[in-house]
Amino acid sequence: EPRSPWCCLAWTLVIGTMNSLVFLLNLLLMFVIFTIVLLPTIVVVYFGFQCHSQVLHSSARYCKSILDDNSSSALIILGFVIMSPLLVVAMAIYCSLARRLRLLVCFQPYSLAVYKGGRWCRRGEGALCCAGGCNTQLKAWV
């Protein structure tokens, strides 16, 4: 049966807050994974741009003794070349972690706010955020 307007509004706020927290958790996990996996690219491109004479031209000792403009250009190119495979690796790690932790299943529909007696876990879904007793078999295409 439908909820009263005030109860519906309260449940909408609860479900919206929960969905926002799940979204922020997914975003934080993605940020951490991409930062760790892309760290070699970030470091190589940073040193390439830092030591190139037409970009930043740092006065650091390693820029004067080890890296000239040609080697700085090579670092910049190398950094951008290795970025593509590392992006694929980072996305694969994030997708496998999100699937293993079942983070994308934790989003709740707003129909729970409108009708009484709705379940926090839809049949056939098993996630960390769902109530116990749900089936743990989940297929991505369902």
Side-chain angles (χ1 to χ4, degrees), residues 93-131:
I93 291 171
Y94 167 72
C95 288
S96 67
L97 249 161
R99 184 173 180 193
R100 182 164 300 168
L101 296 175
R102 301 185 189 279
L103 290 177
L104 300 176
V105 179
C106 293
F107 289 104
Q108 297 297 324
Y110 284 102
S111 63
L112 290 175
V114 178
Y115 297 106
K116 291 181 183 177
R119 294 179 49 175
W120 283 100
C121 182
R122 293 179 293 273
R123 183 159 307 280
E125 296 178 354
L128 296 176
C129 57
C130 293

PDB file of all heavy atoms in Angstrom, residues 93-131:
ATOM      1  N   ILE A  93      40.753  -3.690 -12.715  1.00  0.00           N
ATOM      2  CA  ILE A  93      40.854  -3.887 -11.262  1.00  0.00           C
ATOM      3  C   ILE A  93      39.626  -3.318 -10.565  1.00  0.00           C
ATOM      4  O   ILE A  93      39.038  -3.953  -9.682  1.00  0.00           O
ATOM      5  CB  ILE A  93      42.149  -3.255 -10.717  1.00  0.00           C
ATOM      6  CG1 ILE A  93      43.365  -4.036 -11.208  1.00  0.00           C
ATOM      7  CG2 ILE A  93      42.128  -3.188  -9.194  1.00  0.00           C
ATOM      8  CD1 ILE A  93      44.676  -3.361 -10.891  1.00  0.00           C
ATOM      9  N   TYR A  94      39.207  -2.105 -10.959  1.00  0.00           N
ATOM     10  CA  TYR A  94      38.027  -1.507 -10.338  1.00  0.00           C
ATOM     11  C   TYR A  94      36.774  -2.346 -10.592  1.00  0.00           C
ATOM     12  O   TYR A  94      35.991  -2.592  -9.678  1.00  0.00           O
ATOM     13  CB  TYR A  94      37.799  -0.082 -10.850  1.00  0.00           C
ATOM     14  CG  TYR A  94      36.443   0.437 -10.467  1.00  0.00           C
ATOM     15  CD1 TYR A  94      36.167   0.786  -9.153  1.00  0.00           C
ATOM     16  CD2 TYR A  94      35.419   0.536 -11.402  1.00  0.00           C
ATOM     17  CE1 TYR A  94      34.913   1.231  -8.780  1.00  0.00           C
ATOM     18  CE2 TYR A  94      34.162   0.976 -11.036  1.00  0.00           C
ATOM     19  CZ  TYR A  94      33.921   1.322  -9.737  1.00  0.00           C
ATOM     20  OH  TYR A  94      32.673   1.741  -9.365  1.00  0.00           O
ATOM     21  N   CYS A  95      36.588  -2.795 -11.831  1.00  0.00           N
ATOM     22  CA  CYS A  95      35.389  -3.579 -12.150  1.00  0.00           C
ATOM     23  C   CYS A  95      35.366  -4.903 -11.399  1.00  0.00           C
ATOM     24  O   CYS A  95      34.317  -5.324 -10.905  1.00  0.00           O
ATOM     25  CB  CYS A  95      35.303  -3.815 -13.661  1.00  0.00           C
ATOM     26  SG  CYS A  95      34.873  -2.346 -14.580  1.00  0.00           S
ATOM     27  N   SER A  96      36.520  -5.548 -11.290  1.00  0.00           N
ATOM     28  CA  SER A  96      36.537  -6.817 -10.567  1.00  0.00           C
ATOM     29  C   SER A  96      36.296  -6.608  -9.067  1.00  0.00           C
ATOM     30  O   SER A  96      35.592  -7.393  -8.432  1.00  0.00           O
ATOM     31  CB  SER A  96      37.852  -7.558 -10.798  1.00  0.00           C
ATOM     32  OG  SER A  96      38.924  -6.865 -10.203  1.00  0.00           O
ATOM     33  N   LEU A  97      36.842  -5.538  -8.508  1.00  0.00           N
ATOM     34  CA  LEU A  97      36.602  -5.242  -7.090  1.00  0.00           C
ATOM     35  C   LEU A  97      35.152  -4.848  -6.835  1.00  0.00           C
ATOM     36  O   LEU A  97      34.547  -5.287  -5.849  1.00  0.00           O
ATOM     37  CB  LEU A  97      37.527  -4.115  -6.636  1.00  0.00           C
ATOM     38  CG  LEU A  97      38.619  -4.532  -5.671  1.00  0.00           C
ATOM     39  CD1 LEU A  97      39.717  -3.509  -5.659  1.00  0.00           C
ATOM     40  CD2 LEU A  97      38.072  -4.745  -4.306  1.00  0.00           C
ATOM     41  N   ALA A  98      34.591  -4.030  -7.715  1.00  0.00           N
ATOM     42  CA  ALA A  98      33.198  -3.618  -7.544  1.00  0.00           C
ATOM     43  C   ALA A  98      32.263  -4.811  -7.684  1.00  0.00           C
ATOM     44  O   ALA A  98      31.261  -4.914  -6.974  1.00  0.00           O
ATOM     45  CB  ALA A  98      32.840  -2.539  -8.558  1.00  0.00           C
ATOM     46  N   ARG A  99      32.601  -5.731  -8.574  1.00  0.00           N
ATOM     47  CA  ARG A  99      31.769  -6.922  -8.729  1.00  0.00           C
ATOM     48  C   ARG A  99      31.927  -7.851  -7.531  1.00  0.00           C
ATOM     49  O   ARG A  99      30.952  -8.414  -7.041  1.00  0.00           O
ATOM     50  CB  ARG A  99      32.140  -7.649 -10.014  1.00  0.00           C
ATOM     51  CG  ARG A  99      31.257  -8.820 -10.276  1.00  0.00           C
ATOM     52  CD  ARG A  99      31.516  -9.436 -11.601  1.00  0.00           C
ATOM     53  NE  ARG A  99      30.621 -10.563 -11.779  1.00  0.00           N
ATOM     54  CZ  ARG A  99      30.735 -11.449 -12.706  1.00  0.00           C
ATOM     55  NH1 ARG A  99      31.713 -11.341 -13.578  1.00  0.00           N
ATOM     56  NH2 ARG A  99      29.905 -12.446 -12.798  1.00  0.00           N
ATOM     57  N   ARG A 100      33.155  -8.019  -7.052  1.00  0.00           N
ATOM     58  CA  ARG A 100      33.384  -8.897  -5.900  1.00  0.00           C
ATOM     59  C   ARG A 100      32.718  -8.348  -4.645  1.00  0.00           C
ATOM     60  O   ARG A 100      32.140  -9.088  -3.859  1.00  0.00           O
ATOM     61  CB  ARG A 100      34.876  -9.060  -5.667  1.00  0.00           C
ATOM     62  CG  ARG A 100      35.173 -10.011  -4.518  1.00  0.00           C
ATOM     63  CD  ARG A 100      36.567 -10.449  -4.533  1.00  0.00           C
ATOM     64  NE  ARG A 100      36.801 -11.136  -5.798  1.00  0.00           N
ATOM     65  CZ  ARG A 100      37.997 -11.457  -6.259  1.00  0.00           C
ATOM     66  NH1 ARG A 100      39.050 -11.165  -5.550  1.00  0.00           N
ATOM     67  NH2 ARG A 100      38.143 -12.057  -7.402  1.00  0.00           N
ATOM     68  N   LEU A 101      32.793  -7.041  -4.442  1.00  0.00           N
ATOM     69  CA  LEU A 101      32.159  -6.419  -3.275  1.00  0.00           C
ATOM     70  C   LEU A 101      30.679  -6.130  -3.500  1.00  0.00           C
ATOM     71  O   LEU A 101      29.996  -5.693  -2.565  1.00  0.00           O
ATOM     72  CB  LEU A 101      32.882  -5.114  -2.913  1.00  0.00           C
ATOM     73  CG  LEU A 101      34.334  -5.242  -2.476  1.00  0.00           C
ATOM     74  CD1 LEU A 101      34.948  -3.868  -2.271  1.00  0.00           C
ATOM     75  CD2 LEU A 101      34.443  -6.069  -1.219  1.00  0.00           C
ATOM     76  N   ARG A 102      30.216  -6.313  -4.727  1.00  0.00           N
ATOM     77  CA  ARG A 102      28.824  -6.083  -5.124  1.00  0.00           C
ATOM     78  C   ARG A 102      28.368  -4.661  -4.779  1.00  0.00           C
ATOM     79  O   ARG A 102      27.268  -4.440  -4.262  1.00  0.00           O
ATOM     80  CB  ARG A 102      27.910  -7.115  -4.498  1.00  0.00           C
ATOM     81  CG  ARG A 102      28.259  -8.524  -4.884  1.00  0.00           C
ATOM     82  CD  ARG A 102      27.260  -9.501  -4.346  1.00  0.00           C
ATOM     83  NE  ARG A 102      27.678 -10.882  -4.510  1.00  0.00           N
ATOM     84  CZ  ARG A 102      27.556 -11.577  -5.627  1.00  0.00           C
ATOM     85  NH1 ARG A 102      27.068 -11.012  -6.689  1.00  0.00           N
ATOM     86  NH2 ARG A 102      27.957 -12.831  -5.679  1.00  0.00           N
ATOM     87  N   LEU A 103      29.214  -3.690  -5.093  1.00  0.00           N
ATOM     88  CA  LEU A 103      28.905  -2.302  -4.761  1.00  0.00           C
ATOM     89  C   LEU A 103      27.801  -1.718  -5.634  1.00  0.00           C
ATOM     90  O   LEU A 103      27.055  -0.851  -5.193  1.00  0.00           O
ATOM     91  CB  LEU A 103      30.167  -1.449  -4.891  1.00  0.00           C
ATOM     92  CG  LEU A 103      31.236  -1.698  -3.853  1.00  0.00           C
ATOM     93  CD1 LEU A 103      32.453  -0.852  -4.147  1.00  0.00           C
ATOM     94  CD2 LEU A 103      30.719  -1.413  -2.462  1.00  0.00           C
ATOM     95  N   LEU A 104      27.708  -2.172  -6.873  1.00  0.00           N
ATOM     96  CA  LEU A 104      26.704  -1.605  -7.757  1.00  0.00           C
ATOM     97  C   LEU A 104      25.303  -2.137  -7.467  1.00  0.00           C
ATOM     98  O   LEU A 104      24.321  -1.578  -7.919  1.00  0.00           O
ATOM     99  CB  LEU A 104      27.094  -1.871  -9.216  1.00  0.00           C
ATOM    100  CG  LEU A 104      28.443  -1.278  -9.611  1.00  0.00           C
ATOM    101  CD1 LEU A 104      28.798  -1.656 -11.041  1.00  0.00           C
ATOM    102  CD2 LEU A 104      28.450   0.218  -9.445  1.00  0.00           C
ATOM    103  N   VAL A 105      25.206  -3.204  -6.683  1.00  0.00           N
ATOM    104  CA  VAL A 105      23.911  -3.759  -6.314  1.00  0.00           C
ATOM    105  C   VAL A 105      23.317  -2.994  -5.129  1.00  0.00           C
ATOM    106  O   VAL A 105      22.121  -3.081  -4.868  1.00  0.00           O
ATOM    107  CB  VAL A 105      24.065  -5.270  -5.977  1.00  0.00           C
ATOM    108  CG1 VAL A 105      22.755  -5.891  -5.571  1.00  0.00           C
ATOM    109  CG2 VAL A 105      24.631  -6.011  -7.173  1.00  0.00           C
ATOM    110  N   CYS A 106      24.130  -2.227  -4.442  1.00  0.00           N
ATOM    111  CA  CYS A 106      23.683  -1.533  -3.233  1.00  0.00           C
ATOM    112  C   CYS A 106      22.788  -0.333  -3.515  1.00  0.00           C
ATOM    113  O   CYS A 106      22.194   0.207  -2.592  1.00  0.00           O
ATOM    114  CB  CYS A 106      24.892  -1.080  -2.423  1.00  0.00           C
ATOM    115  SG  CYS A 106      25.834  -2.440  -1.744  1.00  0.00           S
ATOM    116  N   PHE A 107      22.687   0.099  -4.763  1.00  0.00           N
ATOM    117  CA  PHE A 107      21.780   1.202  -5.077  1.00  0.00           C
ATOM    118  C   PHE A 107      20.345   0.719  -4.920  1.00  0.00           C
ATOM    119  O   PHE A 107      19.967  -0.317  -5.442  1.00  0.00           O
ATOM    120  CB  PHE A 107      22.012   1.711  -6.506  1.00  0.00           C
ATOM    121  CG  PHE A 107      23.294   2.446  -6.670  1.00  0.00           C
ATOM    122  CD1 PHE A 107      24.376   1.847  -7.283  1.00  0.00           C
ATOM    123  CD2 PHE A 107      23.422   3.740  -6.201  1.00  0.00           C
ATOM    124  CE1 PHE A 107      25.568   2.520  -7.428  1.00  0.00           C
ATOM    125  CE2 PHE A 107      24.608   4.422  -6.342  1.00  0.00           C
ATOM    126  CZ  PHE A 107      25.684   3.813  -6.961  1.00  0.00           C
ATOM    127  N   GLN A 108      19.532   1.469  -4.183  1.00  0.00           N
ATOM    128  CA  GLN A 108      18.159   1.081  -3.886  1.00  0.00           C
ATOM    129  C   GLN A 108      17.193   1.886  -4.751  1.00  0.00           C
ATOM    130  O   GLN A 108      17.401   3.083  -4.966  1.00  0.00           O
ATOM    131  CB  GLN A 108      17.847   1.313  -2.410  1.00  0.00           C
ATOM    132  CG  GLN A 108      18.681   0.486  -1.474  1.00  0.00           C
ATOM    133  CD  GLN A 108      18.442  -1.007  -1.662  1.00  0.00           C
ATOM    134  OE1 GLN A 108      17.347  -1.446  -1.933  1.00  0.00           O
ATOM    135  NE2 GLN A 108      19.509  -1.778  -1.523  1.00  0.00           N
ATOM    136  N   PRO A 109      16.119   1.262  -5.210  1.00  0.00           N
ATOM    137  CA  PRO A 109      15.126   1.991  -6.022  1.00  0.00           C
ATOM    138  C   PRO A 109      14.262   2.895  -5.142  1.00  0.00           C
ATOM    139  O   PRO A 109      14.036   2.616  -3.960  1.00  0.00           O
ATOM    140  CB  PRO A 109      14.300   0.871  -6.652  1.00  0.00           C
ATOM    141  CG  PRO A 109      14.404  -0.253  -5.686  1.00  0.00           C
ATOM    142  CD  PRO A 109      15.788  -0.155  -5.100  1.00  0.00           C
ATOM    143  N   TYR A 110      13.768   3.967  -5.723  1.00  0.00           N
ATOM    144  CA  TYR A 110      12.927   4.894  -4.971  1.00  0.00           C
ATOM    145  C   TYR A 110      11.514   4.362  -4.755  1.00  0.00           C
ATOM    146  O   TYR A 110      10.736   4.960  -4.022  1.00  0.00           O
ATOM    147  CB  TYR A 110      12.885   6.257  -5.661  1.00  0.00           C
ATOM    148  CG  TYR A 110      14.156   7.026  -5.427  1.00  0.00           C
ATOM    149  CD1 TYR A 110      15.131   7.104  -6.403  1.00  0.00           C
ATOM    150  CD2 TYR A 110      14.377   7.654  -4.211  1.00  0.00           C
ATOM    151  CE1 TYR A 110      16.302   7.787  -6.169  1.00  0.00           C
ATOM    152  CE2 TYR A 110      15.541   8.341  -3.967  1.00  0.00           C
ATOM    153  CZ  TYR A 110      16.497   8.410  -4.959  1.00  0.00           C
ATOM    154  OH  TYR A 110      17.662   9.084  -4.726  1.00  0.00           O
ATOM    155  N   SER A 111      11.172   3.220  -5.362  1.00  0.00           N
ATOM    156  CA  SER A 111       9.861   2.627  -5.107  1.00  0.00           C
ATOM    157  C   SER A 111       9.742   2.148  -3.661  1.00  0.00           C
ATOM    158  O   SER A 111       8.640   1.982  -3.150  1.00  0.00           O
ATOM    159  CB  SER A 111       9.597   1.474  -6.071  1.00  0.00           C
ATOM    160  OG  SER A 111      10.544   0.440  -5.876  1.00  0.00           O
ATOM    161  N   LEU A 112      10.877   1.932  -2.983  1.00  0.00           N
ATOM    162  CA  LEU A 112      10.831   1.585  -1.556  1.00  0.00           C
ATOM    163  C   LEU A 112      10.267   2.733  -0.727  1.00  0.00           C
ATOM    164  O   LEU A 112       9.705   2.515   0.337  1.00  0.00           O
ATOM    165  CB  LEU A 112      12.232   1.243  -1.045  1.00  0.00           C
ATOM    166  CG  LEU A 112      12.851  -0.056  -1.542  1.00  0.00           C
ATOM    167  CD1 LEU A 112      14.278  -0.162  -1.037  1.00  0.00           C
ATOM    168  CD2 LEU A 112      12.033  -1.233  -1.074  1.00  0.00           C
ATOM    169  N   ALA A 113      10.421   3.962  -1.196  1.00  0.00           N
ATOM    170  CA  ALA A 113       9.914   5.112  -0.460  1.00  0.00           C
ATOM    171  C   ALA A 113       8.417   5.303  -0.694  1.00  0.00           C
ATOM    172  O   ALA A 113       7.729   5.854   0.150  1.00  0.00           O
ATOM    173  CB  ALA A 113      10.656   6.370  -0.882  1.00  0.00           C
ATOM    174  N   VAL A 114       7.913   4.824  -1.811  1.00  0.00           N
ATOM    175  CA  VAL A 114       6.520   5.075  -2.154  1.00  0.00           C
ATOM    176  C   VAL A 114       5.585   4.034  -1.539  1.00  0.00           C
ATOM    177  O   VAL A 114       4.516   4.365  -1.039  1.00  0.00           O
ATOM    178  CB  VAL A 114       6.360   5.101  -3.692  1.00  0.00           C
ATOM    179  CG1 VAL A 114       4.904   5.301  -4.081  1.00  0.00           C
ATOM    180  CG2 VAL A 114       7.212   6.208  -4.279  1.00  0.00           C
ATOM    181  N   TYR A 115       6.024   2.766  -1.530  1.00  0.00           N
ATOM    182  CA  TYR A 115       5.132   1.689  -1.081  1.00  0.00           C
ATOM    183  C   TYR A 115       5.647   1.053   0.197  1.00  0.00           C
ATOM    184  O   TYR A 115       6.840   0.858   0.367  1.00  0.00           O
ATOM    185  CB  TYR A 115       5.006   0.620  -2.166  1.00  0.00           C
ATOM    186  CG  TYR A 115       4.388   1.147  -3.426  1.00  0.00           C
ATOM    187  CD1 TYR A 115       5.171   1.377  -4.554  1.00  0.00           C
ATOM    188  CD2 TYR A 115       3.031   1.431  -3.486  1.00  0.00           C
ATOM    189  CE1 TYR A 115       4.609   1.884  -5.710  1.00  0.00           C
ATOM    190  CE2 TYR A 115       2.459   1.931  -4.635  1.00  0.00           C
ATOM    191  CZ  TYR A 115       3.254   2.159  -5.743  1.00  0.00           C
ATOM    192  OH  TYR A 115       2.693   2.661  -6.878  1.00  0.00           O
ATOM    193  N   LYS A 116       4.731   0.685   1.085  1.00  0.00           N
ATOM    194  CA  LYS A 116       5.075  -0.002   2.325  1.00  0.00           C
ATOM    195  C   LYS A 116       5.393  -1.457   2.017  1.00  0.00           C
ATOM    196  O   LYS A 116       4.878  -2.035   1.077  1.00  0.00           O
ATOM    197  CB  LYS A 116       3.912   0.044   3.313  1.00  0.00           C
ATOM    198  CG  LYS A 116       3.639   1.408   3.873  1.00  0.00           C
ATOM    199  CD  LYS A 116       2.488   1.330   4.858  1.00  0.00           C
ATOM    200  CE  LYS A 116       2.150   2.708   5.384  1.00  0.00           C
ATOM    201  NZ  LYS A 116       1.004   2.678   6.283  1.00  0.00           N
ATOM    202  N   GLY A 117       6.222  -2.043   2.855  1.00  0.00           N
ATOM    203  CA  GLY A 117       6.503  -3.463   2.734  1.00  0.00           C
ATOM    204  C   GLY A 117       7.546  -3.807   1.693  1.00  0.00           C
ATOM    205  O   GLY A 117       7.746  -4.968   1.391  1.00  0.00           O
ATOM    206  N   GLY A 118       8.218  -2.840   1.141  1.00  0.00           N
ATOM    207  CA  GLY A 118       9.273  -3.125   0.171  1.00  0.00           C
ATOM    208  C   GLY A 118      10.487  -3.726   0.854  1.00  0.00           C
ATOM    209  O   GLY A 118      10.730  -3.500   2.034  1.00  0.00           O
ATOM    210  N   ARG A 119      11.214  -4.532   0.143  1.00  0.00           N
ATOM    211  CA  ARG A 119      12.414  -5.160   0.707  1.00  0.00           C
ATOM    212  C   ARG A 119      13.636  -4.337   0.336  1.00  0.00           C
ATOM    213  O   ARG A 119      13.706  -3.757  -0.738  1.00  0.00           O
ATOM    214  CB  ARG A 119      12.568  -6.570   0.137  1.00  0.00           C
ATOM    215  CG  ARG A 119      11.462  -7.483   0.587  1.00  0.00           C
ATOM    216  CD  ARG A 119      11.640  -8.833  -0.005  1.00  0.00           C
ATOM    217  NE  ARG A 119      13.010  -9.269   0.206  1.00  0.00           N
ATOM    218  CZ  ARG A 119      13.457 -10.461  -0.113  1.00  0.00           C
ATOM    219  NH1 ARG A 119      12.657 -11.319  -0.668  1.00  0.00           N
ATOM    220  NH2 ARG A 119      14.691 -10.797   0.093  1.00  0.00           N
ATOM    221  N   TRP A 120      14.608  -4.336   1.226  1.00  0.00           N
ATOM    222  CA  TRP A 120      15.862  -3.643   0.941  1.00  0.00           C
ATOM    223  C   TRP A 120      16.721  -4.415  -0.036  1.00  0.00           C
ATOM    224  O   TRP A 120      17.712  -3.939  -0.508  1.00  0.00           O
ATOM    225  CB  TRP A 120      16.646  -3.417   2.223  1.00  0.00           C
ATOM    226  CG  TRP A 120      16.085  -2.300   3.017  1.00  0.00           C
ATOM    227  CD1 TRP A 120      15.266  -2.403   4.090  1.00  0.00           C
ATOM    228  CD2 TRP A 120      16.264  -0.910   2.784  1.00  0.00           C
ATOM    229  NE1 TRP A 120      14.925  -1.159   4.537  1.00  0.00           N
ATOM    230  CE2 TRP A 120      15.527  -0.227   3.758  1.00  0.00           C
ATOM    231  CE3 TRP A 120      16.961  -0.182   1.842  1.00  0.00           C
ATOM    232  CZ2 TRP A 120      15.477   1.147   3.808  1.00  0.00           C
ATOM    233  CZ3 TRP A 120      16.917   1.188   1.907  1.00  0.00           C
ATOM    234  CH2 TRP A 120      16.187   1.838   2.877  1.00  0.00           C
ATOM    235  N   CYS A 121      16.336  -5.628  -0.300  1.00  0.00           N
ATOM    236  CA  CYS A 121      17.118  -6.465  -1.198  1.00  0.00           C
ATOM    237  C   CYS A 121      16.160  -7.104  -2.188  1.00  0.00           C
ATOM    238  O   CYS A 121      15.239  -7.802  -1.788  1.00  0.00           O
ATOM    239  CB  CYS A 121      17.854  -7.543  -0.398  1.00  0.00           C
ATOM    240  SG  CYS A 121      18.877  -8.594  -1.391  1.00  0.00           S
ATOM    241  N   ARG A 122      16.352  -6.863  -3.460  1.00  0.00           N
ATOM    242  CA  ARG A 122      15.506  -7.480  -4.463  1.00  0.00           C
ATOM    243  C   ARG A 122      15.861  -8.954  -4.583  1.00  0.00           C
ATOM    244  O   ARG A 122      17.002  -9.344  -4.396  1.00  0.00           O
ATOM    245  CB  ARG A 122      15.680  -6.755  -5.797  1.00  0.00           C
ATOM    246  CG  ARG A 122      15.143  -5.334  -5.719  1.00  0.00           C
ATOM    247  CD  ARG A 122      15.339  -4.608  -7.013  1.00  0.00           C
ATOM    248  NE  ARG A 122      16.725  -4.361  -7.341  1.00  0.00           N
ATOM    249  CZ  ARG A 122      17.433  -3.327  -6.944  1.00  0.00           C
ATOM    250  NH1 ARG A 122      16.875  -2.419  -6.177  1.00  0.00           N
ATOM    251  NH2 ARG A 122      18.677  -3.180  -7.304  1.00  0.00           N
ATOM    252  N   ARG A 123      14.917  -9.784  -4.891  1.00  0.00           N
ATOM    253  CA  ARG A 123      15.125 -11.223  -4.961  1.00  0.00           C
ATOM    254  C   ARG A 123      16.220 -11.544  -5.978  1.00  0.00           C
ATOM    255  O   ARG A 123      16.258 -11.015  -7.060  1.00  0.00           O
ATOM    256  CB  ARG A 123      13.847 -11.934  -5.361  1.00  0.00           C
ATOM    257  CG  ARG A 123      14.022 -13.434  -5.365  1.00  0.00           C
ATOM    258  CD  ARG A 123      12.725 -14.175  -5.252  1.00  0.00           C
ATOM    259  NE  ARG A 123      11.871 -13.814  -4.140  1.00  0.00           N
ATOM    260  CZ  ARG A 123      12.036 -14.250  -2.893  1.00  0.00           C
ATOM    261  NH1 ARG A 123      13.031 -15.031  -2.589  1.00  0.00           N
ATOM    262  NH2 ARG A 123      11.196 -13.893  -1.955  1.00  0.00           N
ATOM    263  N   GLY A 124      17.122 -12.425  -5.554  1.00  0.00           N
ATOM    264  CA  GLY A 124      18.194 -12.847  -6.446  1.00  0.00           C
ATOM    265  C   GLY A 124      19.455 -12.029  -6.324  1.00  0.00           C
ATOM    266  O   GLY A 124      20.404 -12.244  -7.045  1.00  0.00           O
ATOM    267  N   GLU A 125      19.488 -11.076  -5.418  1.00  0.00           N
ATOM    268  CA  GLU A 125      20.669 -10.243  -5.282  1.00  0.00           C
ATOM    269  C   GLU A 125      21.271 -10.444  -3.904  1.00  0.00           C
ATOM    270  O   GLU A 125      20.573 -10.430  -2.902  1.00  0.00           O
ATOM    271  CB  GLU A 125      20.326  -8.769  -5.469  1.00  0.00           C
ATOM    272  CG  GLU A 125      19.836  -8.463  -6.856  1.00  0.00           C
ATOM    273  CD  GLU A 125      19.451  -7.010  -7.012  1.00  0.00           C
ATOM    274  OE1 GLU A 125      19.471  -6.292  -5.995  1.00  0.00           O
ATOM    275  OE2 GLU A 125      19.136  -6.624  -8.130  1.00  0.00           O
ATOM    276  N   GLY A 126      22.563 -10.616  -3.859  1.00  0.00           N
ATOM    277  CA  GLY A 126      23.240 -10.734  -2.580  1.00  0.00           C
ATOM    278  C   GLY A 126      24.341  -9.710  -2.519  1.00  0.00           C
ATOM    279  O   GLY A 126      25.283  -9.759  -3.292  1.00  0.00           O
ATOM    280  N   ALA A 127      24.236  -8.759  -1.645  1.00  0.00           N
ATOM    281  CA  ALA A 127      25.248  -7.721  -1.536  1.00  0.00           C
ATOM    282  C   ALA A 127      25.529  -7.465  -0.067  1.00  0.00           C
ATOM    283  O   ALA A 127      24.768  -7.873   0.804  1.00  0.00           O
ATOM    284  CB  ALA A 127      24.772  -6.442  -2.216  1.00  0.00           C
ATOM    285  N   LEU A 128      26.616  -6.783   0.181  1.00  0.00           N
ATOM    286  CA  LEU A 128      26.971  -6.470   1.557  1.00  0.00           C
ATOM    287  C   LEU A 128      25.933  -5.577   2.217  1.00  0.00           C
ATOM    288  O   LEU A 128      25.707  -5.650   3.412  1.00  0.00           O
ATOM    289  CB  LEU A 128      28.333  -5.786   1.585  1.00  0.00           C
ATOM    290  CG  LEU A 128      29.515  -6.624   1.102  1.00  0.00           C
ATOM    291  CD1 LEU A 128      30.766  -5.772   1.087  1.00  0.00           C
ATOM    292  CD2 LEU A 128      29.702  -7.827   1.983  1.00  0.00           C
ATOM    293  N   CYS A 129      25.284  -4.736   1.431  1.00  0.00           N
ATOM    294  CA  CYS A 129      24.347  -3.780   2.003  1.00  0.00           C
ATOM    295  C   CYS A 129      22.937  -4.332   2.088  1.00  0.00           C
ATOM    296  O   CYS A 129      22.058  -3.687   2.635  1.00  0.00           O
ATOM    297  CB  CYS A 129      24.336  -2.508   1.177  1.00  0.00           C
ATOM    298  SG  CYS A 129      23.933  -2.817  -0.542  1.00  0.00           S
ATOM    299  N   CYS A 130      22.694  -5.497   1.534  1.00  0.00           N
ATOM    300  CA  CYS A 130      21.345  -6.057   1.547  1.00  0.00           C
ATOM    301  C   CYS A 130      21.105  -6.858   2.815  1.00  0.00           C
ATOM    302  O   CYS A 130      22.033  -7.278   3.485  1.00  0.00           O
ATOM    303  CB  CYS A 130      21.139  -6.965   0.336  1.00  0.00           C
ATOM    304  SG  CYS A 130      21.150  -6.064  -1.223  1.00  0.00           S
ATOM    305  N   ALA A 131      19.842  -7.114   3.092  1.00  0.00           N
ATOM    306  CA  ALA A 131      19.481  -7.914   4.257  1.00  0.00           C
ATOM    307  C   ALA A 131      19.907  -9.358   4.041  1.00  0.00           C
ATOM    308  O   ALA A 131      20.092  -9.809   2.920  1.00  0.00           O
ATOM    309  CB  ALA A 131      17.972  -7.839   4.471  1.00  0.00           C
TER     310      ALA A 131
END
